[in-house]
C-alpha cells in the first residue's frame, strides 16, 4: 500500500461515504422493490446497483486504473447486465467495491490510467491521471445515491437527509 496523501484520503473517504449512502438507501427493500421498475426510463434499483458495479467499480477502478484483464473482460453496459436478484446485485456491488479499494490503495493520483478502452467501446478522450478516474467514480456514486433516495422515498416515504 502506498503512503496516503491528504487529497487521496479525502477523496476515498467521500467515495466510501457515498457507497454507504447507496447501501443505506436500499437497506431493507423487498426483492420486489429491488427488481420492479423504479423510474420512467425503466430501470430498477437492482439495475442501478448493477450499473454502479459494472460501469463504475469494475470499469473505472478495476479496468482503467488497475488494468485488470478480468475487469476488462467483464466490461458491459451495467444497465443491461442481467438481474438475478436484488441480493445478488448488492453482493456484487460490495465485492467489487472492496476490489476497487485494493486497486485505489496501490494507485497514486498522478499516475496515468493503466488501460483505456478502444474508441468504439468508449468514444471519449483518455483521462490523464488516476485522480480524474477517482473523481468520476465518486461523482457517479453520489449521483446515483441521490437517485436511490428519490426511489426509496417513493416506495415507503423514508428520507436519507432532508435539510429544511
Amino acid at each position: 500500500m502506498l503512503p496516503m496523501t491528504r487529497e487521496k484520503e479525502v477523496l476515498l473517504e467521500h467515495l466510501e461515504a457515498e457507497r454507504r449512502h447507496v447501501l443505506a438507501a436500499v437497506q431493507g427493500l423487498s426483492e420486489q422493490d429491488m427488481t420492479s421498475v423504479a423510474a420512467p426510463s425503466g430501470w430498477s434499483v437492482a439495475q442501478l446497483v448493477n450499473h454502479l458495479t459494472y460501469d463504475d467499480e469494475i470499469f473505472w477502478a478495476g479496468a482503467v486504473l488497475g488494468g485488470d484483464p478480468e475487469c476488462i473482460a467483464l466490461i458491459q453496459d451495467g444497465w443491461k447486465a442481467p438481474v438475478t436478484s436484488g441480493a445478488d446485485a448488492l453482493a456484487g456491488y460490495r465485492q467489487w467495491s472492496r476490489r476497487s479499494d485494493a486497486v485505489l490503495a496501490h494507485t497514486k493520483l498522478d499516475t496515468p490510467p493503466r488501460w483505456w478502452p478502444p474508441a468504439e467501446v468508449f468514444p471519449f478522450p483518455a483521462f490523464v491521471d488516476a485522480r480524474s478516474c477517482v473523481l468520476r467514480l465518486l461523482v457517479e456514486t453520489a449521483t446515483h445515491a441521490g437517485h436511490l433516495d428519490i426511489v426509496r422515498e417513493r416506495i415507503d416515504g423514508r428520507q436519507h437527509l432532508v435539510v429544511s
Side-chain angles (χ1 to χ4, degrees):
M1 190 158 90
L2 297 171
M4 185 77 70
T5 65
R6 180 68 182 136
E7 177 189 18
K8 185 175 176 183
E9 179 182 4
V10 168
L11 287 171
L12 297 183
E13 284 173 0
H14 282 281
L15 176 59
E16 186 55 34
E18 292 306 327
R19 288 174 176 156
R20 285 192 311 269
H21 183 164
V22 165
L23 295 171
V26 302
Q27 183 177 12
L29 289 179
S30 70
E31 184 62 25
Q32 181 175 345
D33 291 334
M34 290 290 293
T35 56
S36 295
V37 172
S41 57
W43 54 261
S44 69
V45 170
Q47 285 173 302
L48 188 147
V49 172
N50 275 351
H51 164 67
L52 287 170
T53 300
Y54 286 95
D55 301 328
D56 296 311
E57 300 293 343
I58 292 172
F59 181 81
W60 288 111
V64 174
L65 289 180
D68 181 338
E70 179 185 7
C71 292
I72 294 167
L74 286 172
I75 291 174
Q76 61 181 298
D77 182 344
W79 291 106
K80 295 177 183 173
V83 173
T84 55
S85 72
D88 287 347
L90 290 171
Y93 181 64
R94 286 183 180 101
Q95 171 195 344
W96 287 101
S97 294
R98 298 297 67 89
R99 285 189 60 176
S100 294
D101 287 344
V103 170
L104 296 171
H106 294 92
T107 303
K108 290 183 181 181
L109 293 177
D110 291 328
T111 61
R114 290 192 175 110
W115 177 83
W116 195 260
E120 62 271 9
V121 174
F122 195 71
F124 303 100
F127 286 174
V128 297
D129 57 24
R131 178 181 293 100
S132 300
C133 297
V134 173
L135 284 169
R136 181 64 187 192
L137 179 57
L138 173 58
V139 168
E140 281 280 322
T141 306
T143 298
H144 292 308
H147 293 139
L148 289 169
D149 285 341
I150 292 167
V151 168
R152 183 60 185 254
E153 187 173 353
R154 292 191 71 178
I155 291 170
D156 63 10
R158 183 173 149 215
Q159 297 177 333
H160 176 72
L161 173 66
V162 178
V163 179
S164 320

